Amino acid sequence: MAKIAFILLCHKDPEAIIKQAQSLTAVGDCMAIHFDASAPRADFERIRAALADNPNVTFARRVKCGWGAWSLVQATLNALEAALDRFPRATHFYMVSGDCMAIKPAEFAHERLDAREADYIESVDFFSSGWIKTGWKEERLIYRHIFNERTQKRRFYAMFELQKRLGLKRRIPADLEVMIGSQWWCLRRRTVEAILEFIAGRPDVLRFFRGTWIPDETFFQTLVRHLVPEPEIENRTLTFLMFTDYGMPVTFYNDHYDLLLAQDYLFARKISPGALDLKRRLGVLYSSERVAFQISDEGRSLYKFLTEKGRAGHRFAPRFWETESSLGRERELLIVVSKKWHVAKRLIGRIREATGLPCIDYLFNEESCDLPDLGGLQSTMDKRHRHRRALMRMLYDYFGSDRLVICLDPGNLDLIEDFCRDRATTRLLQIDCQFSDDFLAGHATRVGLAGERTSEAAMARLVPTIRNDILHESDALRDAQLPGHVYLRELDPPEAQVQAVAQFLSIPAARAREITSDDQLYSD
């Protein structure tokens, strides 16, 4: 009978990891956990302590992981080696993440694996399949990628451009046909052993994949095809996942329970951290017995139908890029509003340092705002405004967080009101600053109302007009009477400012005091 060793890669939420491990090992299956070495050591020790007495759990040697980097494959290999050594009776090795949950009981999963002697892995031709929808294709392979695109963006692209300019292309190992597919696979023990034996004797192959970009979509997919006869490969994943039109994973919420159970899969990804009822119901499902399922497998077609129709209903995630759609009920959008952009940027820099929350500058006001690559949606101001909610949802997914801080100019009242009408929790922190005549004159120059040749007389007439315009924007924002509106006033005593920030971020006063303690916060 099949015995599954789950290969869990995770980097956050220790409590959820502990519950996931307890649930999946309760019926005799086992698990090897790789907890990202970039994550807090205290979180890792908390997981180890909670699972120390569980003989069906082991831990892999930790490495620091980065999206799209070789480190994710190395972490997987470390976990596989740990599982092979610790669990000699494991017959299958199933790759999962902290966002995955079982949508079938263990007895169903074991029967499925026993029914066919095969590896379950999506593995299609890298060049001809069309699996890659946008962005680089052969560039992932023929150039060396030694820097992380997410954390070392300038070096990553500078290295790419240098190789391209000098013609430093490299060859793909001649005996390999590169394949690509989902990284959520289930492999038999002998396949895993064959992969480890193969790479031990082929340093050229290991060296090649270490220099590719996003190797977790190609490494195992290529080697399984190279080492396993085709009749023993099921070209599919046993984990149900869908992608939006923008290439981002669809997130499942509380009302997706029946939909998920009806799919012909064993697990599903990604489960929203806020979908507590869904997580509770799925958490007890794996150890359930004699559960009957009506497999309809209509998930993708139903989702496609609903999103193409732009249906703004209550179920199955409405078409989020339309005006009437939602960021997600479980999410929280924190908006810092200030006419003095440098003050707001200084404040969110302090918030980022003190809380670790993802914070973004004036993304709807500055073309040069530092944004990740979101498939081109972020490339122009026109696209950002036209697909505002799509952009925000993709940012939540990119940062892996349900809380996000952004800056907006008070002149963006329509944008602010639009976000505040969303089902997500939205709060505003309006910064009331003092505006000197010199600042307003400089502002007039920066926005193009005045230039180097503007006379002093003309500037004297312009400054009061700008001041009144700023006051009008501030009053309009107040008159909108939006929920969750908090004020941070430059002239208020320090303790009042502490309370405003604490209320806005829902943090203790001591933490808020760290944020507001900057004497230069309001400096021009």
Side-chain angles (χ1 to χ4, degrees):
M1 182 176 178
K3 181 181 178 69
I4 303 172
F6 292 101
I7 305 301
L8 174 62
L9 301 192
C10 50
H11 66 280
K12 61 179 180 179
D13 201 351
E15 278 304 314
I17 299 302
I18 294 167
K19 290 178 181 178
Q20 186 180 26
Q22 291 171 336
S23 172
L24 295 181
T25 60
V27 292
D29 287 321
C30 41
M31 176 178 287
I33 299 175
H34 179 276
F35 194 72
D36 193 341
S38 300
R41 178 78 186 182
D43 286 351
F44 176 61
E45 294 300 339
R46 184 176 170 188
I47 296 171
R48 287 196 64 152
L51 301 173
D53 296 330
N54 190 330
N56 291 329
V57 174
T58 190
F59 293 87
R61 181 173 57 85
R62 302 171 71 201
V63 296
K64 293 183 177 180
C65 296
W67 186 90
W70 168 256
S71 53
L72 287 176
V73 178
Q74 187 61 62
T76 306
L77 291 172
N78 291 353
L80 285 170
E81 290 173 348
L84 281 170
D85 181 62
R86 179 69 180 273
F87 309 120
R89 296 180 60 193
T91 61
H92 293 77
F93 296 78
Y94 196 125
M95 180 84 167
V96 293
S97 74
D99 296 323
C100 296
M101 291 199 74
I103 57 174
K104 298 291 186 298
E107 64 177 13
F108 186 101
H110 295 156
E111 289 172 4
R112 165 64 66 86
L113 297 178
D114 284 335
R116 173 138 162 69
E117 184 63 28
D119 297 304
Y120 291 84
I121 181 169
E122 185 180 38
S123 177
V124 296
D125 186 87
F126 183 91
F127 294 99
S128 64
S129 64
W131 199 87
I132 299 174
K133 302 298 183 185
T134 59
W136 288 353
K137 183 173 276 190
E138 68 171 4
E139 292 89 347
R140 293 190 185 190
L141 307 177
I142 63 175
Y143 296 110
R144 297 165 180 82
H145 303 283
I146 60 175
F147 297 109
N148 189 292
E149 194 268 346
R150 293 281 174 96
T151 59
Q152 299 169 295
K153 189 179 292 288
R154 290 185 180 178
R155 290 181 177 179
F156 179 88
Y157 287 106
M159 181 72 173
F160 167 71
E161 292 297 338
L162 178 63
Q163 293 179 84
K164 190 176 176 182
R165 191 161 54 248
L166 297 178
L168 299 178
K169 295 182 180 179
R170 60 180 187 156
R171 292 182 179 179
I172 298 170
D175 59 332
L176 289 186
E177 181 182 357
V178 179
M179 311 297 283
I180 191 169
S182 169
Q183 62 268 53
W184 310 108
W185 37 254
C186 179
L187 303 179
R188 294 168 297 171
R189 185 180 193 92
R190 68 186 185 195
T191 301
V192 172
E193 291 172 340
I195 290 173
L196 295 178
E197 182 180 355
F198 177 80
I199 61 177
R202 289 293 300 273
D204 60 317
V205 171
L206 210 55
R207 186 165 55 249
F208 170 74
F209 279 106
R210 276 178 174 153
T212 60
W213 189 42
I214 321 182
D216 54 322
E217 294 179 351
T218 57
F219 179 79
F220 291 99
Q221 296 77 2
T222 299
L223 295 192
V224 169
R225 283 285 176 183
H226 185 73
L227 298 169
V228 178
E230 186 170 352
E232 296 181 22
I233 299 175
E234 281 281 350
N235 189 11
R236 58 161 295 180
T237 174
L238 292 174
T239 298
F240 180 61
L241 66 163
M242 297 189 296
F243 291 90
T244 68
D245 288 355
Y246 288 92
M248 301 301 291
V250 171
T251 301
F252 299 110
Y253 296 96
N254 288 332
D255 62 355
H256 286 112
Y257 181 79
D258 294 329
L259 174 79
L260 293 177
L261 265 61
Q263 306 314 305
D264 186 24
Y265 294 85
L266 305 184
F267 279 72
R269 182 179 190 276
K270 304 172 58 169
I271 308 299
S272 169
L276 301 181
D277 186 57
L278 177 62
K279 295 176 78 171
R280 178 187 59 78
R281 297 174 75 183
L282 293 179
V284 299
L285 180 65
Y286 196 69
S287 57
S288 302
E289 296 180 352
R290 294 184 293 279
V291 180
F293 295 96
Q294 193 73 30
I295 304 294
S296 59
D297 214 22
E298 84 301 340
R300 288 188 174 86
S301 58
L302 179 59
Y303 181 84
K304 184 173 184 288
F305 171 78
L306 293 177
T307 54
E308 283 183 350
K309 293 297 182 183
R311 177 178 180 271
H314 299 297
R315 294 167 61 83
F316 311 133
R319 184 168 180 160
F320 62 75
W321 55 88
E322 300 295 355
T323 306
E324 69 272 19
S325 64
S326 173
L327 301 180
R329 189 184 302 275
E330 292 84 3
R331 285 171 169 162
E332 190 173 4
L333 181 61
L334 305 170
I335 305 175
V336 176
V337 183
S338 177
K339 200 67 180 181
K340 285 191 175 182
W341 292 4
H342 59 283
V343 175
K345 290 179 181 180
R346 206 173 285 149
L347 179 67
I348 68 167
R350 301 278 296 182
I351 291 173
R352 187 184 297 113
E353 291 175 4
T355 66
L357 285 173
C359 301
I360 305 173
D361 295 344
Y362 287 81
L363 70 165
F364 293 105
N365 302 102
E366 284 186 308
E367 190 89 52
S368 60
C369 175
D370 186 20
L371 290 171
D373 185 355
L374 302 174
L377 187 63
Q378 82 296 340
S379 58
T380 67
M381 291 296 293
D382 181 60
K383 286 184 178 180
R384 294 180 202 174
H385 279 267
R386 189 165 67 249
H387 304 296
R388 61 187 69 169
R389 298 199 182 190
L391 177 69
M392 297 306 299
R393 287 188 67 128
M394 293 173 80
L395 287 169
Y396 281 114
D397 289 335
Y398 174 86
F399 288 109
S401 172
D402 280 342
R403 301 187 81 204
L404 189 64
V405 184
I406 65 170
C407 296
L408 289 178
D409 188 279
N412 296 125
L413 182 59
D414 59 335
L415 199 61
I416 296 170
E417 287 182 319
D418 184 39
F419 284 138
C420 287
R421 283 194 297 267
D422 192 270
R423 283 178 292 174
T425 300
T426 307
R427 287 204 291 274
L428 306 178
L429 181 69
Q430 183 176 350
I431 306 177
D432 283 346
C433 299
Q434 297 300 296
F435 298 95
S436 66
D437 288 349
D438 287 343
F439 173 85
L440 295 175
H443 176 73
T445 302
R446 286 189 293 274
V447 299
L449 294 175
E452 295 179 355
R453 298 184 179 180
T454 303
S455 66
E456 291 185 8
M459 188 64 81
R461 292 193 299 271
L462 190 57
V463 164
T465 303
I466 296 174
R467 188 184 298 278
N468 288 334
D469 186 62
I470 291 175
L471 290 174
H472 173 74
E473 289 179 351
S474 179
D475 289 339
L477 189 56
R478 294 171 190 270
D479 292 340
Q481 297 183 339
L482 300 171
H485 195 160
V486 181
Y487 299 91
L488 179 65
R489 299 179 176 88
E490 182 178 355
L491 296 181
D492 276 352
E495 200 54 30
Q497 297 187 34
V498 168
Q499 293 303 318
V501 171
Q503 181 181 347
F504 173 65
L505 295 173
S506 299
I507 59 174
R511 183 67 59 84
R513 197 168 288 110
E514 294 177 22
I515 296 171
T516 60
S517 62
D518 185 359
D519 294 334
Q520 302 300 311
L521 179 61
Y522 300 98
S523 174
D524 293 331

